[in-house]
Short mmCIF file of all heavy atoms in Angstrom, two decimals:
data_model
loop_
_atom_site.label_atom_id
_atom_site.label_comp_id
_atom_site.label_asym_id
_atom_site.label_seq_id
_atom_site.Cartn_x
_atom_site.Cartn_y
_atom_site.Cartn_z
N MET A 1 92.65 88.55 72.17
CA MET A 1 92.38 87.63 73.25
C MET A 1 90.90 87.70 73.63
O MET A 1 90.26 88.73 73.51
CB MET A 1 93.20 87.99 74.48
CG MET A 1 94.67 87.67 74.38
SD MET A 1 95.51 88.03 75.92
CE MET A 1 95.68 86.39 76.53
N SER A 2 90.44 86.62 74.15
CA SER A 2 89.08 86.55 74.66
C SER A 2 89.13 86.03 76.09
O SER A 2 90.18 85.55 76.54
CB SER A 2 88.24 85.63 73.77
OG SER A 2 88.56 84.28 74.02
N PRO A 3 88.03 86.08 76.81
CA PRO A 3 88.03 85.55 78.18
C PRO A 3 88.48 84.09 78.25
O PRO A 3 89.01 83.64 79.26
CB PRO A 3 86.57 85.69 78.62
CG PRO A 3 86.05 86.83 77.82
CD PRO A 3 86.76 86.73 76.48
N ASP A 4 88.33 83.36 77.16
CA ASP A 4 88.76 81.96 77.14
C ASP A 4 90.27 81.79 77.14
O ASP A 4 90.77 80.69 77.36
CB ASP A 4 88.18 81.26 75.90
CG ASP A 4 86.66 81.23 75.91
OD1 ASP A 4 86.07 81.22 77.00
OD2 ASP A 4 86.07 81.25 74.82
N ASP A 5 91.02 82.87 76.88
CA ASP A 5 92.47 82.81 76.81
C ASP A 5 93.16 83.04 78.15
O ASP A 5 94.38 83.17 78.21
CB ASP A 5 92.99 83.84 75.80
CG ASP A 5 92.57 83.51 74.38
OD1 ASP A 5 92.67 82.33 74.01
OD2 ASP A 5 92.14 84.43 73.67
N TYR A 6 92.41 83.08 79.21
CA TYR A 6 92.97 83.35 80.54
C TYR A 6 94.14 82.43 80.88
O TYR A 6 95.15 82.87 81.41
CB TYR A 6 91.86 83.23 81.60
CG TYR A 6 92.30 83.56 83.00
CD1 TYR A 6 92.50 84.88 83.38
CD2 TYR A 6 92.52 82.55 83.93
CE1 TYR A 6 92.90 85.19 84.67
CE2 TYR A 6 92.92 82.85 85.22
CZ TYR A 6 93.11 84.17 85.58
OH TYR A 6 93.52 84.48 86.85
N GLY A 7 94.04 81.19 80.54
CA GLY A 7 95.08 80.22 80.84
C GLY A 7 96.35 80.39 80.01
O GLY A 7 97.37 79.78 80.31
N ARG A 8 96.31 81.24 78.98
CA ARG A 8 97.46 81.44 78.10
C ARG A 8 98.28 82.67 78.46
O ARG A 8 99.28 82.96 77.80
CB ARG A 8 96.97 81.60 76.65
CG ARG A 8 96.29 80.38 76.10
CD ARG A 8 95.91 80.55 74.64
NE ARG A 8 97.09 80.97 73.87
CZ ARG A 8 97.06 81.92 72.92
NH1 ARG A 8 95.95 82.52 72.61
NH2 ARG A 8 98.17 82.23 72.27
N ILE A 9 97.92 83.40 79.48
CA ILE A 9 98.58 84.67 79.80
C ILE A 9 100.09 84.52 79.94
O ILE A 9 100.85 85.36 79.47
CB ILE A 9 97.97 85.30 81.07
CG1 ILE A 9 96.54 85.77 80.75
CG2 ILE A 9 98.80 86.47 81.57
CD1 ILE A 9 95.80 86.30 81.93
N ALA A 10 100.55 83.46 80.54
CA ALA A 10 101.99 83.27 80.77
C ALA A 10 102.78 83.12 79.46
O ALA A 10 104.00 83.24 79.46
CB ALA A 10 102.23 82.05 81.65
N GLU A 11 102.11 82.91 78.35
CA GLU A 11 102.78 82.78 77.05
C GLU A 11 103.24 84.12 76.49
O GLU A 11 104.01 84.16 75.53
CB GLU A 11 101.84 82.14 76.03
CG GLU A 11 101.42 80.73 76.36
CD GLU A 11 100.43 80.18 75.35
OE1 GLU A 11 100.40 80.66 74.19
OE2 GLU A 11 99.65 79.28 75.72
N PHE A 12 102.78 85.23 77.07
CA PHE A 12 103.04 86.55 76.52
C PHE A 12 104.08 87.30 77.33
O PHE A 12 104.35 86.99 78.48
CB PHE A 12 101.73 87.34 76.46
CG PHE A 12 100.68 86.68 75.60
CD1 PHE A 12 99.70 85.88 76.17
CD2 PHE A 12 100.71 86.83 74.22
CE1 PHE A 12 98.75 85.26 75.38
CE2 PHE A 12 99.76 86.20 73.42
CZ PHE A 12 98.78 85.41 74.01
N ASP A 13 104.66 88.33 76.71
CA ASP A 13 105.65 89.19 77.38
C ASP A 13 104.99 90.37 78.07
O ASP A 13 105.55 90.94 79.00
CB ASP A 13 106.67 89.73 76.37
CG ASP A 13 107.48 88.63 75.74
OD1 ASP A 13 107.80 87.65 76.45
OD2 ASP A 13 107.79 88.74 74.54
N ALA A 14 103.83 90.77 77.57
CA ALA A 14 103.14 91.95 78.12
C ALA A 14 101.64 91.80 77.87
O ALA A 14 101.22 90.97 77.05
CB ALA A 14 103.66 93.22 77.46
N LEU A 15 100.88 92.62 78.57
CA LEU A 15 99.43 92.61 78.41
C LEU A 15 98.97 94.06 78.28
O LEU A 15 99.24 94.89 79.15
CB LEU A 15 98.77 91.95 79.64
CG LEU A 15 97.26 91.82 79.64
CD1 LEU A 15 96.80 90.95 78.48
CD2 LEU A 15 96.80 91.23 80.95
N PHE A 16 98.32 94.36 77.18
CA PHE A 16 97.82 95.70 76.90
C PHE A 16 96.31 95.62 76.85
O PHE A 16 95.74 95.16 75.86
CB PHE A 16 98.41 96.20 75.58
CG PHE A 16 98.11 97.62 75.23
CD1 PHE A 16 98.42 98.64 76.11
CD2 PHE A 16 97.53 97.94 74.02
CE1 PHE A 16 98.16 99.97 75.79
CE2 PHE A 16 97.26 99.25 73.69
CZ PHE A 16 97.58 100.26 74.56
N VAL A 17 95.65 96.05 77.92
CA VAL A 17 94.20 95.92 78.04
C VAL A 17 93.54 97.11 77.35
O VAL A 17 93.71 98.25 77.76
CB VAL A 17 93.77 95.86 79.53
CG1 VAL A 17 92.26 95.76 79.64
CG2 VAL A 17 94.45 94.71 80.24
N ARG A 18 92.78 96.83 76.30
CA ARG A 18 92.06 97.87 75.58
C ARG A 18 90.60 97.46 75.45
O ARG A 18 90.07 97.30 74.38
CB ARG A 18 92.66 98.11 74.19
CG ARG A 18 94.08 98.55 74.17
CD ARG A 18 94.52 99.75 74.99
NE ARG A 18 93.61 100.83 75.18
CZ ARG A 18 93.56 101.57 76.29
NH1 ARG A 18 94.35 101.31 77.30
NH2 ARG A 18 92.72 102.56 76.39
N GLU A 19 89.98 97.26 76.55
CA GLU A 19 88.58 96.87 76.60
C GLU A 19 88.00 97.48 77.86
O GLU A 19 88.73 97.97 78.71
CB GLU A 19 88.49 95.34 76.65
CG GLU A 19 87.11 94.81 76.47
CD GLU A 19 87.08 93.28 76.45
OE1 GLU A 19 88.12 92.63 76.39
OE2 GLU A 19 85.96 92.75 76.51
N THR A 20 86.70 97.45 78.00
CA THR A 20 86.07 97.95 79.22
C THR A 20 86.73 97.34 80.44
O THR A 20 87.01 96.14 80.45
CB THR A 20 84.57 97.59 79.22
OG1 THR A 20 83.96 98.20 78.09
CG2 THR A 20 83.89 98.04 80.50
N THR A 21 87.02 98.17 81.42
CA THR A 21 87.65 97.66 82.63
C THR A 21 86.80 97.97 83.85
O THR A 21 86.23 99.05 83.96
CB THR A 21 89.06 98.28 82.84
OG1 THR A 21 88.94 99.70 82.87
CG2 THR A 21 90.01 97.86 81.75
N SER A 22 86.71 97.03 84.73
CA SER A 22 86.10 97.20 86.05
C SER A 22 86.51 95.99 86.87
O SER A 22 86.95 94.98 86.33
CB SER A 22 84.58 97.33 85.97
OG SER A 22 83.99 96.08 85.71
N VAL A 23 86.37 96.09 88.17
CA VAL A 23 86.78 94.98 89.03
C VAL A 23 85.89 93.76 88.85
O VAL A 23 86.29 92.66 89.21
CB VAL A 23 86.88 95.39 90.52
CG1 VAL A 23 87.99 96.39 90.72
CG2 VAL A 23 85.55 95.92 91.03
N ASN A 24 84.72 93.92 88.26
CA ASN A 24 83.81 92.80 88.03
C ASN A 24 83.90 92.27 86.60
O ASN A 24 83.04 91.52 86.17
CB ASN A 24 82.37 93.21 88.32
CG ASN A 24 82.17 93.57 89.77
OD1 ASN A 24 82.82 93.00 90.63
ND2 ASN A 24 81.32 94.52 90.03
N HIS A 25 84.92 92.68 85.86
CA HIS A 25 85.06 92.31 84.45
C HIS A 25 86.27 91.39 84.29
O HIS A 25 87.21 91.44 85.09
CB HIS A 25 85.25 93.60 83.63
CG HIS A 25 85.01 93.45 82.18
ND1 HIS A 25 86.03 93.28 81.29
CD2 HIS A 25 83.87 93.46 81.45
CE1 HIS A 25 85.53 93.20 80.07
NE2 HIS A 25 84.22 93.30 80.15
N HIS A 26 86.26 90.59 83.24
CA HIS A 26 87.38 89.66 83.04
C HIS A 26 88.70 90.39 82.82
O HIS A 26 89.76 89.84 83.09
CB HIS A 26 87.10 88.70 81.87
CG HIS A 26 87.09 89.33 80.53
ND1 HIS A 26 85.94 89.85 79.97
CD2 HIS A 26 88.09 89.54 79.65
CE1 HIS A 26 86.25 90.34 78.79
NE2 HIS A 26 87.54 90.17 78.56
N THR A 27 88.66 91.65 82.38
CA THR A 27 89.91 92.39 82.17
C THR A 27 90.67 92.59 83.48
O THR A 27 91.90 92.58 83.48
CB THR A 27 89.63 93.74 81.51
OG1 THR A 27 88.61 94.44 82.24
CG2 THR A 27 89.18 93.58 80.08
N TYR A 28 89.97 92.76 84.57
CA TYR A 28 90.62 92.90 85.88
C TYR A 28 91.33 91.60 86.25
O TYR A 28 92.47 91.62 86.72
CB TYR A 28 89.62 93.30 86.96
CG TYR A 28 90.25 93.40 88.32
CD1 TYR A 28 91.00 94.51 88.67
CD2 TYR A 28 90.11 92.38 89.26
CE1 TYR A 28 91.61 94.61 89.91
CE2 TYR A 28 90.71 92.47 90.51
CZ TYR A 28 91.45 93.59 90.82
OH TYR A 28 92.06 93.67 92.06
N ARG A 29 90.68 90.47 86.02
CA ARG A 29 91.31 89.17 86.29
C ARG A 29 92.55 88.98 85.42
O ARG A 29 93.58 88.51 85.89
CB ARG A 29 90.33 88.02 86.05
CG ARG A 29 89.25 87.90 87.10
CD ARG A 29 88.40 86.65 86.93
NE ARG A 29 87.87 86.53 85.57
CZ ARG A 29 88.13 85.53 84.73
NH1 ARG A 29 88.90 84.54 85.09
NH2 ARG A 29 87.61 85.50 83.52
N PHE A 30 92.45 89.37 84.15
CA PHE A 30 93.60 89.26 83.26
C PHE A 30 94.74 90.14 83.75
O PHE A 30 95.90 89.70 83.77
CB PHE A 30 93.21 89.68 81.84
CG PHE A 30 92.68 88.57 80.99
CD1 PHE A 30 91.48 87.94 81.30
CD2 PHE A 30 93.35 88.17 79.86
CE1 PHE A 30 90.98 86.94 80.52
CE2 PHE A 30 92.85 87.14 79.05
CZ PHE A 30 91.66 86.52 79.39
N ALA A 31 94.44 91.38 84.13
CA ALA A 31 95.49 92.29 84.61
C ALA A 31 96.15 91.76 85.87
O ALA A 31 97.38 91.77 85.99
CB ALA A 31 94.90 93.69 84.86
N SER A 32 95.37 91.28 86.80
CA SER A 32 95.92 90.73 88.05
C SER A 32 96.79 89.52 87.77
O SER A 32 97.90 89.40 88.32
CB SER A 32 94.79 90.32 89.00
OG SER A 32 94.06 91.43 89.41
N ARG A 33 96.32 88.64 86.92
CA ARG A 33 97.09 87.43 86.58
C ARG A 33 98.37 87.80 85.85
O ARG A 33 99.44 87.25 86.12
CB ARG A 33 96.24 86.49 85.75
CG ARG A 33 96.96 85.31 85.16
CD ARG A 33 97.05 84.16 86.17
NE ARG A 33 97.79 83.05 85.61
CZ ARG A 33 97.27 82.06 84.90
NH1 ARG A 33 95.97 82.04 84.65
NH2 ARG A 33 98.02 81.10 84.45
N GLY A 34 98.28 88.75 84.91
CA GLY A 34 99.46 89.18 84.18
C GLY A 34 100.53 89.74 85.10
O GLY A 34 101.72 89.42 84.99
N GLU A 35 100.11 90.55 86.06
CA GLU A 35 101.07 91.11 87.04
C GLU A 35 101.71 89.99 87.86
O GLU A 35 102.92 90.01 88.09
CB GLU A 35 100.37 92.10 87.96
CG GLU A 35 99.99 93.39 87.26
CD GLU A 35 99.18 94.30 88.15
OE1 GLU A 35 98.24 93.83 88.81
OE2 GLU A 35 99.51 95.49 88.17
N SER A 36 100.91 89.03 88.29
CA SER A 36 101.46 87.95 89.11
C SER A 36 102.42 87.06 88.30
O SER A 36 103.29 86.43 88.88
CB SER A 36 100.35 87.11 89.73
OG SER A 36 99.69 86.35 88.75
N GLU A 37 102.26 87.05 86.98
CA GLU A 37 103.16 86.28 86.11
C GLU A 37 104.41 87.09 85.73
O GLU A 37 105.27 86.60 85.02
CB GLU A 37 102.42 85.87 84.83
CG GLU A 37 101.28 84.90 85.03
CD GLU A 37 101.74 83.49 85.31
OE1 GLU A 37 102.92 83.17 85.05
OE2 GLU A 37 100.91 82.69 85.78
N GLY A 38 104.47 88.36 86.18
CA GLY A 38 105.62 89.20 85.90
C GLY A 38 105.56 89.94 84.58
O GLY A 38 106.57 90.47 84.11
N LEU A 39 104.40 89.98 83.95
CA LEU A 39 104.25 90.69 82.69
C LEU A 39 104.15 92.19 82.92
O LEU A 39 103.71 92.64 83.98
CB LEU A 39 102.96 90.25 81.98
CG LEU A 39 102.99 89.02 81.10
CD1 LEU A 39 103.31 87.79 81.90
CD2 LEU A 39 101.68 88.86 80.39
N VAL A 40 104.53 92.95 81.91
CA VAL A 40 104.25 94.38 81.90
C VAL A 40 102.78 94.48 81.55
O VAL A 40 102.33 93.91 80.55
CB VAL A 40 105.11 95.11 80.84
CG1 VAL A 40 104.69 96.56 80.73
CG2 VAL A 40 106.59 94.99 81.18
N VAL A 41 102.00 95.21 82.36
CA VAL A 41 100.56 95.30 82.14
C VAL A 41 100.16 96.77 82.04
O VAL A 41 100.40 97.55 82.96
CB VAL A 41 99.76 94.62 83.28
CG1 VAL A 41 98.27 94.75 83.04
CG2 VAL A 41 100.16 93.16 83.42
N VAL A 42 99.58 97.13 80.91
CA VAL A 42 99.03 98.48 80.73
C VAL A 42 97.54 98.37 81.05
O VAL A 42 96.85 97.51 80.51
CB VAL A 42 99.26 98.99 79.30
CG1 VAL A 42 98.61 100.35 79.11
CG2 VAL A 42 100.75 99.06 79.01
N ASP A 43 97.07 99.26 81.89
CA ASP A 43 95.79 99.18 82.58
C ASP A 43 95.91 98.06 83.62
O ASP A 43 95.19 97.07 83.61
CB ASP A 43 94.61 98.95 81.65
CG ASP A 43 94.13 100.23 80.98
OD1 ASP A 43 94.71 101.29 81.27
OD2 ASP A 43 93.18 100.17 80.19
N ASP A 44 96.87 98.27 84.52
CA ASP A 44 97.14 97.30 85.58
C ASP A 44 95.98 97.26 86.56
O ASP A 44 95.10 98.11 86.56
CB ASP A 44 98.44 97.66 86.30
CG ASP A 44 98.37 99.05 86.90
OD1 ASP A 44 98.51 100.03 86.14
OD2 ASP A 44 98.18 99.15 88.13
N ALA A 45 95.97 96.25 87.39
CA ALA A 45 94.85 96.03 88.32
C ALA A 45 94.65 97.22 89.27
O ALA A 45 93.51 97.62 89.53
CB ALA A 45 95.09 94.75 89.11
N GLU A 46 95.73 97.80 89.78
CA GLU A 46 95.59 98.93 90.69
C GLU A 46 94.95 100.13 89.99
O GLU A 46 94.09 100.81 90.56
CB GLU A 46 96.94 99.33 91.27
CG GLU A 46 96.85 100.43 92.31
CD GLU A 46 98.19 100.71 92.97
OE1 GLU A 46 99.11 99.87 92.88
OE2 GLU A 46 98.29 101.78 93.58
N SER A 47 95.33 100.38 88.75
CA SER A 47 94.74 101.48 87.99
C SER A 47 93.26 101.24 87.71
O SER A 47 92.46 102.17 87.74
CB SER A 47 95.49 101.68 86.67
OG SER A 47 96.81 102.08 86.90
N ILE A 48 92.90 99.99 87.44
CA ILE A 48 91.49 99.66 87.21
C ILE A 48 90.69 99.97 88.47
O ILE A 48 89.60 100.55 88.41
CB ILE A 48 91.34 98.19 86.79
CG1 ILE A 48 91.95 97.99 85.39
CG2 ILE A 48 89.88 97.76 86.81
CD1 ILE A 48 92.04 96.53 84.96
N ILE A 49 91.23 99.61 89.63
CA ILE A 49 90.54 99.89 90.90
C ILE A 49 90.42 101.40 91.11
O ILE A 49 89.35 101.92 91.43
CB ILE A 49 91.27 99.23 92.08
CG1 ILE A 49 91.12 97.72 92.00
CG2 ILE A 49 90.75 99.75 93.41
CD1 ILE A 49 91.98 96.96 92.98
N ARG A 50 91.53 102.13 90.93
CA ARG A 50 91.51 103.57 91.15
C ARG A 50 90.56 104.29 90.20
O ARG A 50 89.81 105.18 90.62
CB ARG A 50 92.91 104.15 91.00
CG ARG A 50 93.81 103.83 92.14
CD ARG A 50 95.15 104.45 91.94
NE ARG A 50 96.01 104.22 93.09
CZ ARG A 50 97.29 104.49 93.12
NH1 ARG A 50 97.89 105.02 92.06
NH2 ARG A 50 97.99 104.25 94.20
N CYS A 51 90.60 103.95 88.94
CA CYS A 51 89.78 104.64 87.96
C CYS A 51 88.30 104.31 88.09
O CYS A 51 87.45 105.04 87.60
CB CYS A 51 90.27 104.34 86.55
SG CYS A 51 91.87 105.10 86.22
N GLY A 52 87.98 103.24 88.77
CA GLY A 52 86.59 102.89 89.03
C GLY A 52 86.06 103.48 90.32
O GLY A 52 84.90 103.31 90.66
N ASN A 53 86.91 104.20 91.05
CA ASN A 53 86.55 104.76 92.34
C ASN A 53 86.31 106.26 92.19
O ASN A 53 87.24 107.05 92.10
CB ASN A 53 87.69 104.49 93.33
CG ASN A 53 87.38 104.98 94.72
OD1 ASN A 53 86.62 105.92 94.91
ND2 ASN A 53 88.01 104.35 95.71
N LYS A 54 85.06 106.67 92.17
CA LYS A 54 84.72 108.07 91.93
C LYS A 54 85.22 108.98 93.04
O LYS A 54 85.57 110.13 92.79
CB LYS A 54 83.21 108.23 91.74
CG LYS A 54 82.74 107.60 90.46
CD LYS A 54 81.25 107.76 90.29
CE LYS A 54 80.82 107.05 89.00
NZ LYS A 54 79.41 107.18 88.75
N VAL A 55 85.25 108.50 94.26
CA VAL A 55 85.75 109.32 95.37
C VAL A 55 87.24 109.58 95.17
O VAL A 55 87.70 110.72 95.32
CB VAL A 55 85.49 108.64 96.74
CG1 VAL A 55 86.16 109.41 97.86
CG2 VAL A 55 84.00 108.48 96.97
N TYR A 56 88.00 108.56 94.81
CA TYR A 56 89.43 108.73 94.55
C TYR A 56 89.64 109.75 93.43
O TYR A 56 90.47 110.65 93.54
CB TYR A 56 90.06 107.39 94.17
CG TYR A 56 91.47 107.51 93.66
CD1 TYR A 56 92.53 107.66 94.54
CD2 TYR A 56 91.74 107.51 92.29
CE1 TYR A 56 93.83 107.79 94.07
CE2 TYR A 56 93.03 107.64 91.82
CZ TYR A 56 94.07 107.79 92.71
OH TYR A 56 95.34 107.93 92.24
N LEU A 57 88.89 109.61 92.34
CA LEU A 57 89.04 110.53 91.21
C LEU A 57 88.67 111.96 91.58
O LEU A 57 89.33 112.91 91.16
CB LEU A 57 88.22 110.05 90.02
CG LEU A 57 88.67 108.73 89.39
CD1 LEU A 57 87.69 108.31 88.30
CD2 LEU A 57 90.07 108.87 88.84
N PHE A 58 87.64 112.13 92.39
CA PHE A 58 87.24 113.45 92.85
C PHE A 58 88.34 114.09 93.68
O PHE A 58 88.70 115.25 93.48
CB PHE A 58 85.93 113.37 93.65
CG PHE A 58 85.50 114.68 94.23
CD1 PHE A 58 84.94 115.65 93.42
CD2 PHE A 58 85.67 114.94 95.58
CE1 PHE A 58 84.54 116.88 93.95
CE2 PHE A 58 85.29 116.16 96.11
CZ PHE A 58 84.72 117.12 95.30
N GLU A 59 88.89 113.33 94.62
CA GLU A 59 89.96 113.84 95.47
C GLU A 59 91.21 114.17 94.64
O GLU A 59 91.87 115.18 94.89
CB GLU A 59 90.31 112.85 96.57
CG GLU A 59 89.20 112.63 97.58
CD GLU A 59 88.88 113.89 98.39
OE1 GLU A 59 89.79 114.69 98.64
OE2 GLU A 59 87.69 114.06 98.73
N LEU A 60 91.51 113.36 93.68
CA LEU A 60 92.65 113.61 92.79
C LEU A 60 92.45 114.90 92.00
O LEU A 60 93.35 115.73 91.90
CB LEU A 60 92.86 112.42 91.85
CG LEU A 60 94.02 112.52 90.89
CD1 LEU A 60 95.36 112.58 91.64
CD2 LEU A 60 94.00 111.31 89.94
N ALA A 61 91.26 115.08 91.47
CA ALA A 61 90.95 116.29 90.70
C ALA A 61 91.03 117.54 91.59
O ALA A 61 91.48 118.60 91.12
CB ALA A 61 89.56 116.19 90.06
N LYS A 62 90.58 117.43 92.83
CA LYS A 62 90.68 118.59 93.75
C LYS A 62 92.12 118.99 93.99
O LYS A 62 92.43 120.17 94.09
CB LYS A 62 90.01 118.26 95.09
CG LYS A 62 88.52 118.37 95.05
CD LYS A 62 87.80 118.14 96.36
CE LYS A 62 88.61 118.11 97.61
NZ LYS A 62 87.82 117.84 98.81
N ARG A 63 93.03 118.02 94.08
CA ARG A 63 94.44 118.32 94.30
C ARG A 63 95.06 119.03 93.10
O ARG A 63 96.04 119.75 93.23
CB ARG A 63 95.23 117.06 94.61
CG ARG A 63 94.98 116.53 95.99
CD ARG A 63 95.96 115.46 96.33
NE ARG A 63 95.86 114.37 95.36
CZ ARG A 63 96.03 113.10 95.64
NH1 ARG A 63 96.36 112.75 96.85
NH2 ARG A 63 95.92 112.18 94.73
N LEU A 64 94.54 118.79 91.92
CA LEU A 64 95.09 119.38 90.70
C LEU A 64 94.63 120.82 90.50
O LEU A 64 95.20 121.53 89.68
CB LEU A 64 94.72 118.54 89.48
CG LEU A 64 95.26 117.12 89.48
CD1 LEU A 64 94.71 116.35 88.28
CD2 LEU A 64 96.77 117.12 89.48
N ASP A 65 93.63 121.23 91.21
CA ASP A 65 93.10 122.59 91.09
C ASP A 65 94.02 123.63 91.66
O ASP A 65 94.70 123.56 92.57
CB ASP A 65 91.74 122.68 91.79
CG ASP A 65 90.66 123.11 90.84
OD1 ASP A 65 90.97 123.39 89.67
OD2 ASP A 65 89.51 123.11 91.27
#
């Protein structure tokens, strides 16, 4: 898929994002749209937000210690 395939998301059963992810990247839009269409999404929008948040990751790592 490419960014031009955004309008085709509903044609699929699932979305497996294997590209750079960030909230300012087209992959975040694809993940959000896929979730709203009811697709199974790997690298879902919430995970993209969490993994891009260094404070969240730091706090998570502290809890694992």
Side-chain angles (χ1 to χ4, degrees):
M1 287 184 104
S2 75
D4 297 331
D5 294 316
Y6 183 76
R8 296 184 53 222
I9 291 175
E11 297 176 24
F12 300 97
D13 297 323
L15 182 62
F16 186 55
V17 178
R18 299 307 327 146
E19 190 177 350
T20 299
T21 56
S22 74
V23 294
N24 297 327
H25 197 262
H26 69 270
T27 51
Y28 178 77
R29 288 187 307 119
F30 271 65
S32 295
R33 172 84 182 272
E35 289 174 314
S36 70
E37 294 285 345
L39 275 63
V40 173
V41 179
V42 177
D43 279 358
D44 59 283
E46 185 174 343
S47 295
I48 292 171
I49 291 170
R50 286 181 176 171
C51 291
N53 183 333
K54 292 180 182 181
V55 173
Y56 170 80
L57 294 175
F58 176 75
E59 294 295 327
L60 181 63
K62 281 183 13 182
R63 286 191 301 215
L64 298 175
D65 239 356

